[in-house]
Amino acid sequence: MSTKTENHPSWVQPYLDSTEKQQALYKRTLLIVVLSQIFGGAGLASGITVGALLAKDMLGTDSFSGLPVALLTLGSAGSALIVGYLSDQYGRRFGLAAGFLAGGLGAIGVVLAAVTSNILLLFASLLIYGAGTATNLQARYAGTDLANAKQRATAISIALVSTTFGAVAGPNLVGPMGEFAASIGVPTLAGPFLLGAAAFILAGLMILMFLRHDPLIVAKAIAKRESQNHHLKSETATTAINKKGIIAAATIMVLTQIVMVAIMTMTPIHMGHHGHGLQEVGMVIGFHIGAMYLPSLLTGMLVDKVGRTSMAIAAGSILLAAGFTAAFAPTDSMVVLTVALILLGLGWNIGLISGTTILVDATSLATRAKTQGTIDVLVALSGASGGVLSGVVVAYSSYAALSIAGGVLSLLLIPVVMWSLKKPVVEKQLNQKVGF
């Protein structure tokens, strides 16, 4: 067994020689990710809650109410690619820290745009703010770098559930942050972005200071050493299997993102049209974001035990129920609308964890971070599309039509998942040749 260290930093060698050290680093990484995700969740939720309302106030029309979320998500797309590349080249620590800190600067820009009524600055800042949301999602991968196949979904879920604390607190601090903003001469709707700036910057500094023994660098070194003794597998068959897994994972995450973002984006506008106040909007979105992250531990265990594909199908079914519940909710019923948004968050949660786990299963450590960043770009762009189209659909049709369309769209992931279960022809031929 080779013990050469010239292709990796010297501090990696003790982890190669000790499984106990690997497990200790795995647990330490999860702890740091959990703490950073608490702050990151607050930053993520703060902007989402009032972004559409701020745009409506500055633009004076509902037609472009979905634009802030679209810009935020578009910025998230570009940032996902950059964070993935930086992580692949320099490790998770550098990539995640850079993304969170950029998101904090974007939030500061949004506040300045609101103070100066500068639409162009608002749009540019929302793009940069998207870096924080992209990084908040990419942090879930850090916990899987040193996890085995039976721990991956659970590791992802631990990262996501920790986001709940900040994500639920963010929307419910909309009122107090608005009052604080007004007291210092900042527009009320820009208040939550003050919280977002502090949250993302704190998350970035935490990653930068404490994630010093990088899990991805260690995992790559371990994988490289182990691969030296495994040359008998058919690379062609493995590639075919991996491509199907990557396609299935991308489809699951893209469709769930489109449906979730589209319906969530227009819910505050829909509520405002029917007399609900900012505090009520914050409460409904808070329940929604709680459902996006709080069930993660249970979801992760189910994905590991019940199976990736079964849970992905469950995600599509739940999103269908969410769409129809939102469509037919009485306009004066906070309870039914809250249930719809909880189902929307739950469907997204299951889709994200099952899709992410399938993606990790289908990629090798040599290219995993870069592939994860690329897939997250598609996810972010799909969210941007959902955000833009949601405002147009509601402006020219209705919130009910948007919700029904989203629910029906989510069912498309089922045939893709079923297709991914079929073994590639090349694998069948290989199995016949080697006697499996």
Side-chain angles (χ1 to χ4, degrees):
M1 184 178 293
S2 173
T3 58
K4 292 181 180 179
T5 61
E6 64 267 20
N7 292 325
H8 56 71
S10 59
W11 59 261
V12 172
Q13 193 61 40
Y15 293 101
L16 294 179
D17 299 333
S18 171
T19 55
E20 289 79 10
K21 285 184 176 294
Q22 292 172 20
Q23 284 300 304
L25 180 59
Y26 167 64
K27 293 176 181 178
R28 183 171 182 269
T29 298
L30 282 180
L31 176 61
I32 296 167
V33 168
V34 164
L35 294 174
S36 68
Q37 288 293 83
I38 293 174
F39 293 111
L44 168 73
S46 300
I48 289 175
T49 304
V50 298
L53 297 174
L54 180 60
K56 176 186 174 183
D57 186 60
M58 293 181 68
L59 295 170
T61 177
D62 286 351
S63 299
F64 300 100
S65 297
L67 193 56
V69 173
L71 288 169
L72 188 153
T73 316
L74 189 61
S76 176
S79 301
L81 193 62
I82 295 171
V83 171
Y85 173 80
L86 292 175
S87 297
D88 184 63
Q89 295 294 313
Y90 307 106
R92 298 287 185 193
R93 173 175 170 253
F94 188 82
L96 296 179
F100 275 132
L101 293 173
L105 293 177
I108 293 172
V110 171
V111 174
L112 293 175
V115 170
T116 59
S117 298
N118 189 323
I119 297 296
L120 292 179
L121 178 59
L122 173 68
F123 291 166
S125 298
L126 285 169
L127 283 170
I128 300 172
Y129 182 79
T133 64
T135 308
N136 198 69
L137 280 176
Q138 289 237 347
R140 73 193 189 276
Y141 294 122
T144 68
D145 290 331
L146 292 171
N148 60 46
K150 294 182 179 180
Q151 295 175 319
R152 286 169 181 166
T154 302
I156 294 164
S157 70
I158 290 172
L160 287 178
V161 76
S162 61
T163 308
T164 306
F165 300 103
V168 172
N172 287 292
L173 289 174
V174 165
M177 288 304 300
E179 293 174 5
F180 171 74
S183 71
I184 60 173
V186 173
T188 301
L189 290 174
F193 285 96
L194 291 171
L195 174 63
F200 279 151
I201 290 172
L202 284 171
L205 292 176
M206 183 166 294
I207 291 288
L208 194 62
M209 289 188 292
F210 298 113
L211 197 65
R212 289 193 172 272
H213 284 187
D214 197 284
L216 183 58
I217 293 175
V218 173
K220 281 186 174 183
I222 293 170
K224 185 174 182 180
R225 188 176 68 172
E226 291 179 348
S227 69
Q228 295 173 359
N229 298 322
H230 297 82
H231 297 297
L232 299 178
K233 291 184 178 180
S234 168
E235 192 171 321
T236 305
T238 301
T239 300
I241 297 168
N242 287 356
K243 284 183 177 179
K244 292 189 76 172
I246 291 170
I247 291 170
T251 303
I252 293 165
M253 290 190 281
V254 162
L255 287 177
T256 53
Q257 185 77 358
I258 289 175
V259 174
M260 187 277 292
V261 170
I263 297 175
M264 178 200 67
T265 298
M266 295 314 298
T267 297
I269 303 300
H270 173 70
M271 293 179 68
H273 285 164
H274 294 91
H276 297 288
L278 189 61
Q279 199 65 34
E280 292 173 307
V281 170
M283 185 182 73
V284 171
I285 297 300
F287 274 109
H288 164 68
I289 296 178
M292 288 172 64
Y293 296 103
L294 191 58
S296 295
L297 285 179
L298 178 60
T299 302
M301 289 188 289
L302 289 173
V303 170
D304 277 334
K305 295 182 182 299
V306 176
R308 282 72 156 136
T309 53
S310 297
M311 293 301 292
I313 291 171
S317 303
I318 293 172
L319 288 173
L320 176 67
F324 276 81
T325 303
F328 296 106
T331 57
D332 61 344
S333 176
M334 284 280 293
V335 174
V336 179
L337 193 58
T338 300
V339 169
L341 269 290
I342 288 174
L343 289 172
L344 185 69
L346 178 61
W348 178 87
N349 173 269
I350 297 173
L352 181 69
I353 292 178
S354 59
T356 300
T357 309
I358 292 170
L359 179 60
V360 174
D361 291 342
T363 52
S364 66
L365 278 162
T367 58
R368 181 169 294 164
K370 190 180 296 184
T371 303
Q372 289 165 343
T374 302
I375 297 301
D376 275 5
V377 169
L378 296 177
V379 174
L381 288 175
S382 67
S385 301
V388 170
L389 293 175
S390 65
V392 176
V393 170
V394 171
Y396 291 97
S397 182
S398 67
Y399 177 77
L402 172 71
S403 300
I404 292 172
V408 173
L409 180 64
S410 65
L411 291 180
L412 291 178
L413 65 83
I414 294 178
V416 175
V417 169
M418 299 306 294
W419 164 80
S420 71
L421 292 174
K422 296 180 180 179
K423 291 184 177 181
V425 174
V426 67
E427 183 193 13
K428 292 180 181 178
Q429 293 174 344
L430 177 67
N431 290 345
Q432 290 172 357
K433 289 179 180 180
V434 298
F436 284 116

